Amino acid sequence: MNNNEPTHIQSYSRLFMVLLGLFLLTGLTIGVSYIHMGKLNVWIALIIASTKATLVLLYFMHLKYEDQLIRFSFISTVLFLVIMISFIFFDISFR
Amino acid sequence: MMKAAQDHKGKTIGMWLFLYSEIILFGGLFVLYAAYFNRYSSDFISGGHELNRIIGSINTLILLTSSFTVAASLTAVRRNSNRTAGLLLGFSMVCGLVFLVNKYFEWSHKFHAGIYPNSEQLVNGPPGVNIFFGMYYMITGLHGLHVIIGSLLLGFSLQKLVKRKITAESHAFLENSALYWHLVDLIWIFVFPLFYLVL
Amino acid sequence: MNDVTSFYKTPSPQHLKGVWAWLLTQDHKRIGLMYMWAVLFWFIVGMLMGLLLRIELMQAGKTIVDAKVYNSLFTLHGVIMIFLFVIPAIPSIFGNFILPIQIGADDVFFPRLNLLSWYLYMLGGLFAIISLFSGDFPDTGWTFYVPFSVTAKSNVSLTVLAAFILGMSSMLTGLNFITTIHRLRAEKMGWMQIPLFTWSLYATAWVQLLATPVVSITLLLVVIERLFSLGLFDPDKGGDPLLYQHLFWIYSHPAVYIMILPGMGVISEIVPVFSRKSIFGYKGIVWSGMAIAIAGSLVWAHHMFTSGMSDVAVFVFSLLTFLVAIPSAVKVFSWISTMYKGSIEMSPPFFYALIFIYLFSLGGLTGLVLGSAGTNIQVHDTHFVVAHFHFMMFGGTGFAFFAALHFWWPKMFGILYDFKKAYIAAILTTTGFVFHYIPMFILGLQGMPRRYYDYLPRYQTGNFLAGLGGIVLVLGILMMIVNLLSSFKKRVPASSNPWGGTTLEWTVPSPPPLHNFIHAPEIPAYPYDFSQVNRNDESGSGS
């Protein structure tokens, strides 16, 4: 249960590739915002943002190599947030 | 107590648990954003037009880069390149500072333009625009506070690195400060499109 | 056993002396005790506030205070009882003292963070005191609804900041317990061998960690609105006051599960011991605890049925609310089934546990009246609600807290209290409780609103009766506390296992040594195997 072996070391090149990916996605989200698709724009922006966030989480924050407990509880936290928002829409969408 | 002191994984778990509480804290504000965007879509769009997309984009790139340099500093420490690690950490802190300076300019520009909480322009204008800027100030304000805290944590990490209290074998403080910094980055990743790219 | 040095004699860190051995301690047992004295203080203060306001209500019109003071009284009573007593009590006192021992650990994972949690608790209490004496205490009710909380001239910001700080204390405790349970369990103790009290604290800890930040941001928004008038909840500026209510209850409903789950954990420990029989349905209790934590986070808007939210929301939340009752029932059936064909032995903790089961079940049934949207319209914001939540938080958590005090008192202090006086106090308390709150159910159904200073003549009898019950209730509680405190005078020594319990805290001396265990604990294959264990008396014979 005590885990003191050295944790996986992320190489500089891998980290840099992730940064490039993040820059590209940032450019993409800025570009897409000029194409007007109504409500769809929000969802696309959120999907791109979530992709960027996933990259940061998996590689910068090491989530790819972490314990199941952390991955499971992280997803649960996000799920709780999603439920908070969506359940409120039961109210505000139907007033 | 004996066991916990050497349990690196446990310290990581503790830090992630703390991050969850921060995610939910900001989450409450995103709940409000979602509800109000649904109600005031066109006002949010016109509000979004007033924000400076260029500063917003630059700030995004700055935070992303600083996240990279923080992660890289951890790699450096693990490879015993303490000097490189120190430089990377220092650079990250500078990024944080630049971000805050940009924010300061953004906010003061808005204030001068009469766009601030409870200003005449906002109170007498469309309600959705008032809410947009209320949310803007609330979220970027709370986020800015976290940038300050994160920068301080990076600063303490740098100090410990210099004093050789952070080493290849023992670097939990740096690792956890790095996680906090990445969280600050994560929040901005969502704030940026939701406020600056509503077009 | 007599030559083992108790933790009272060994400070940790070692060099600390005198009062600093307490104020700077990193020992979970000392921290638990420091919480206990502070929590008992706030409980008594909150109880006296309650008594004052119920005496005021004994007669229509002014009795002892005027309307404004009355409004502040019920606000203060709510804030103190909820944030300074019911939420922290069982986790911070008994969780801190007992949890590490139950899992075979020598402390929690983050001992210094634990001490910080205590300081945050004390700081929150201090803010509450300051807000009481430095100007007008708020009269908004503990729910701080907008717009009144934003526009009121009273000390709302200070009080709300007190609650914010107390929330941080709660969150950090949850964080500490989760990490402790994951990382510091004895090697041979798998998940399905963890005692049920610890399991209940695990479920609670997740709610503490994830739900509390919602109220933190909500209270922060109230302060920001008061300072800067952003208008986020102000309809004149585009805001929606109902969003405040949503955010508030997204925490405050799960908060009641933070309150009750540890209490249920206490009962799950006590019932097997005094039935001399293993708990019925260990896994059922484990899973129902987690189910309550999860499902309880999905039902918050049942506090808002009459607020003006959509009919769809009313329907959804009413349906989900009925589902939460199911895991609670699983626990009640399990406790009863444990007692069935067991070898029952009465003791003060068991007595309180039995009363808990009765009051919790009764109160829980009235929850169905409230959860059903149609009937809710009749009873919302009436005394029916007041009676319901007091049955749950007081009859439930409060009595579980009393049970825990009587159960673990010998372990924490190495002494026993007077049983006879304990029983008499319990009977007085329960009798007072029943006569205090049952009239309120009737008053509520008859239409008497809550938080009203004055009322129509037809409510006079019910209020008068409730007041009498309240006086008896307070007398019973005071007697209970005096009895417990008197145990320090007589110092009847307690052995390591006066009740014959099977969980690890009963294998260590009373009180325990600094690092809890003298030799590495033997982990039984199942935590509730009563075939082997015997209780021991002061001579130390038996296991």
Side-chain angles (χ1 to χ4, degrees):
Chain A
M1 212 180 296
N2 273 346
N3 214 320
N4 289 315
E5 71 256 11
T7 37
H8 172 272
I9 300 179
Q10 201 75 265
S11 71
Y12 294 120
S13 48
R14 176 72 76 93
L15 291 174
F16 190 70
M17 293 304 291
V18 171
L19 182 64
L20 283 184
L22 288 168
F23 271 41
L24 272 167
L25 287 168
T26 307
L28 181 65
T29 200
I30 295 173
V32 163
S33 70
Y34 286 100
I35 307 171
H36 296 288
M37 293 175 280
K39 279 275 159 95
L40 199 56
N41 275 101
V42 188
W43 292 107
I44 293 179
L46 283 175
I47 290 172
I48 297 176
S50 302
T51 312
K52 288 165 76 179
T54 308
L55 283 174
V56 171
L57 282 158
L58 288 178
Y59 295 102
F60 287 171
M61 296 174 83
H62 223 243
L63 197 56
K64 188 162 196 249
Y65 310 96
E66 288 293 358
D67 194 72
Q68 231 193 3
L69 162 69
I70 296 180
R71 276 197 284 203
F72 184 71
S73 50
F74 175 78
I75 293 174
S76 305
T77 304
V78 172
L79 202 65
F80 179 49
L81 194 52
V82 167
I83 287 176
M84 261 201 276
I85 297 179
S86 49
F87 275 37
I88 282 191
F89 273 81
F90 278 130
D91 177 18
I92 56 182
S93 304
F94 295 101
R95 281 210 210 141
Chain B
M1 241 190 278
M2 310 283 117
K3 251 173 157 189
Q6 289 117 10
D7 185 359
H8 181 266
K9 207 170 190 192
K11 293 183 195 168
T12 308
I13 290 174
M15 189 62 201
W16 277 97
L17 292 175
F18 181 70
L19 292 185
Y20 301 157
S21 73
E22 291 276 28
I23 290 173
I24 300 288
L25 186 79
F26 277 91
L29 293 176
F30 284 110
V31 165
L32 288 180
Y33 179 95
Y36 285 132
F37 180 77
N38 179 62
R39 184 165 162 185
Y40 295 121
S41 314
S42 46
D43 281 348
F44 268 45
I45 291 171
S46 60
H49 275 130
E50 310 250 8
L51 290 180
N52 189 324
R53 214 159 304 128
I54 298 180
I55 297 190
S57 306
I58 292 175
N59 265 353
T60 305
L61 297 176
I62 288 176
L63 276 189
L64 291 174
T65 309
S66 72
S67 241
F68 162 73
T69 50
V70 163
S73 79
L74 206 50
T75 299
V77 163
R78 289 193 176 126
R79 290 186 180 171
N80 268 307
S81 324
N82 283 359
R83 198 166 161 273
T84 313
L87 287 169
L88 287 166
L89 266 181
F91 180 80
S92 314
M93 288 174 67
V94 169
C95 287
L97 189 63
V98 174
F99 180 94
L100 289 169
V101 166
N102 283 345
K103 259 279 146 278
Y104 169 78
F105 282 126
E106 266 192 290
W107 276 32
S108 42
H109 183 259
K110 286 278 161 299
F111 278 34
H112 276 120
I115 299 176
Y116 52 88
N118 211 24
S119 70
E120 263 207 60
Q121 184 177 333
L122 282 183
V123 170
N124 295 325
V129 173
N130 177 55
I131 294 295
F132 177 83
F133 281 104
M135 294 304 311
Y136 170 76
Y137 282 116
M138 189 66 208
I139 289 189
T140 59
L142 192 62
H143 179 259
L145 178 65
H146 282 72
V147 172
I148 295 174
I149 296 173
S151 304
L152 284 170
L153 285 175
L154 292 180
F156 286 131
S157 298
L158 185 56
Q159 192 188 38
K160 283 179 187 267
L161 183 69
V162 163
K163 286 194 181 159
R164 296 190 196 283
K165 287 204 187 138
I166 287 180
T167 65
E169 290 78 40
S170 155
H171 48 263
F173 190 91
L174 173 60
E175 214 170 331
N176 290 341
S177 303
L179 283 175
Y180 192 88
W181 188 257
H182 294 308
L183 178 77
V184 167
D185 186 24
L186 278 179
I187 294 165
W188 186 260
I189 285 175
F190 285 94
V191 171
F192 172 58
L194 291 176
F195 283 91
Y196 290 84
L197 300 183
V198 212
L199 295 175
Chain C
M1 192 185 83
N2 287 332
D3 49 3
V4 174
T5 320
S6 91
F7 74 93
Y8 289 104
K9 300 242 166 57
T10 26
S12 163
Q14 268 181 319
H15 60 272
L16 296 174
K17 292 198 176 33
V19 71
W20 298 113
W22 289 91
L23 292 178
L24 292 178
T25 187
Q26 291 172 27
D27 179 356
H28 65 102
K29 299 183 284 300
R30 290 192 185 223
I31 294 176
L33 290 179
M34 292 200 295
Y35 267 111
M36 188 174 90
W37 300 119
V39 164
L40 279 174
F41 167 77
W42 284 113
F43 173 58
I44 293 174
V45 172
M47 185 175 68
L48 292 174
M49 304 281 108
L51 184 66
L52 276 173
L53 70 91
R54 280 319 313 188
I55 290 178
E56 167 55 44
L57 286 175
M58 278 174 87
Q59 283 182 304
K62 174 170 175 173
T63 313
I64 47 171
V65 295
D66 64 34
K68 194 146 182 302
V69 175
Y70 174 82
N71 290 356
S72 294
L73 267 177
F74 69 65
T75 305
L76 186 59
H77 172 75
V79 168
I80 290 179
M81 283 305 199
I82 289 176
F83 293 114
L84 286 159
F85 175 59
V86 190
I87 287 177
I90 296 177
S92 307
I93 302 173
F94 302 106
N96 264 315
F97 200 104
I98 301 289
L99 186 156
I101 309 180
Q102 277 200 341
I103 60 173
D106 63 353
D107 210 305
V108 293
F109 195 92
F110 297 111
R112 287 175 302 180
L113 200 67
N114 204 9
L115 185 64
L116 176 65
S117 289
W118 181 79
Y119 274 105
L120 287 172
Y121 176 81
M122 299 300 281
L123 188 65
L126 183 66
F127 266 65
I129 292 177
I130 294 176
S131 72
L132 179 56
F133 289 110
S134 69
D136 274 340
F137 192 80
D139 51 352
T140 56
W142 78 276
T143 45
F144 297 113
Y145 270 21
V146 300
F148 190 37
S149 61
V150 173
T151 59
K153 303 263 185 303
S154 50
N155 267 343
V156 173
S157 292
L158 263 178
T159 314
V160 148
L161 278 172
F164 182 90
I165 293 169
L166 293 165
M168 284 179 64
S169 172
S170 183
M171 252 171 12
L172 293 177
T173 300
L175 188 159
N176 220 336
F177 284 179
I178 294 173
T179 316
T180 303
I181 294 169
H182 275 273
R183 303 302 294 172
L184 293 185
R185 274 186 346 262
E187 282 220 48
K188 296 226 174 87
M189 187 181 279
W191 282 96
M192 287 300 153
Q193 292 158 301
I194 296 176
L196 292 172
F197 179 56
T198 300
W199 257 117
S200 75
L201 289 171
Y202 182 72
T204 306
W206 279 109
V207 186
Q208 280 176 291
L209 183 72
L210 294 180
T212 314
V214 183
V215 83
S216 305
I217 192 70
T218 310
L219 296 175
L220 195 63
L221 282 168
V222 169
V223 175
I224 301 275
E225 282 296 332
R226 287 178 69 85
L227 290 174
F228 301 114
S229 303
L230 300 177
L232 290 176
F233 302 120
D234 182 352
D236 283 339
K237 292 183 179 172
D240 181 357
L242 250 59
L243 287 179
Y244 170 86
Q245 292 188 27
H246 276 294
L247 284 180
F248 179 81
W249 289 111
I250 288 176
Y251 165 72
S252 301
H253 189 80
V256 315
Y257 297 109
I258 297 175
M259 298 177 203
I260 198 66
L261 280 170
M264 290 167 152
V266 172
I267 305 303
S268 297
E269 292 292 349
I270 292 178
V271 169
V273 171
F274 298 98
S275 311
R276 308 308 305 156
K277 187 165 157 264
S278 167
I279 188 80
F280 178 92
Y282 171 92
K283 287 203 178 143
I285 303 230
V286 168
W287 293 121
S288 63
M290 298 302 290
I292 289 173
I294 296 170
S297 310
L298 307 178
V299 301
W300 71 82
H302 65 221
H303 298 266
M304 297 166 58
F305 286 148
T306 62
S307 63
M309 68 176 185
S310 76
D311 289 341
V312 172
V314 170
F315 176 76
V316 167
F317 282 100
S318 180
L319 179 64
L320 290 170
T321 302
F322 271 73
L323 294 179
V324 177
I326 299 172
S328 302
V330 165
K331 287 185 189 281
V332 175
F333 291 136
S334 298
W335 295 323
I336 310 273
S337 306
T338 306
M339 293 187 253
Y340 179 65
K341 289 200 174 166
S343 176
I344 304 294
E345 176 171 333
M346 187 49 71
S347 69
F350 190 50
F351 193 50
Y352 275 112
L354 290 173
I355 299 170
F356 169 98
I357 295 175
Y358 176 70
L359 294 177
F360 173 77
S361 304
L362 203 60
L365 288 174
T366 62
L368 295 173
V369 175
L370 286 159
S372 155
T375 47
N376 183 282
I377 296 175
Q378 173 72 13
V379 291
H380 177 79
D381 264 352
T382 68
H383 263 75
F384 191 92
V385 182
V386 177
H388 165 74
F389 67 66
H390 280 96
F391 259 78
M392 308 316 289
M393 296 201 281
F394 191 175
T397 305
F399 276 71
F401 174 69
F402 301 153
L405 275 174
H406 287 81
F407 189 52
W408 282 308
W409 192 266
K411 178 57 55 188
M412 297 192 294
F413 301 111
I415 52 183
L416 286 170
Y417 42 81
D418 183 321
F419 279 25
K420 197 154 159 220
K421 295 209 180 85
Y423 288 128
I424 296 174
I427 292 172
L428 266 178
T429 306
T430 309
T431 311
F433 181 95
V434 163
F435 277 98
H436 188 52
Y437 292 110
I438 297 216
M440 291 190 212
F441 278 124
I442 301 170
L443 284 170
L445 285 169
Q446 289 177 332
M448 178 180 170
R450 64 185 288 199
R451 294 178 171 167
Y452 268 42
Y453 171 70
D454 199 1
Y455 49 77
L456 297 172
R458 60 189 158 137
Y459 301 131
Q460 174 75 65
T461 317
N463 277 296
F464 188 74
L465 209 59
L468 291 179
I471 293 169
V472 173
L473 171 60
V474 170
L475 285 174
I477 290 176
L478 289 176
M479 182 176 177
M480 174 192 82
I481 292 178
V482 167
N483 184 38
L484 287 172
L485 292 177
S486 308
S487 69
F488 288 115
K489 264 224 222 104
K490 305 204 188 118
R491 299 215 82 101
V492 176
S495 62
S496 62
N497 196 357
W499 313 121
T502 56
T503 43
L504 286 180
E505 74 267 30
W506 304 111
T507 65
V508 302
S510 303
L514 174 61
H515 294 297
N516 300 335
F517 297 93
I518 312 167
H519 359 265
E522 253 185 67
I523 314 295
Y526 179 66
Y528 299 101
D529 183 357
F530 284 90
S531 56
Q532 301 300 323
V533 77
N534 294 304
R535 94 214 23 235
N536 52 14
D537 56 24
E538 297 88 81
S539 63
S541 58
S543 76

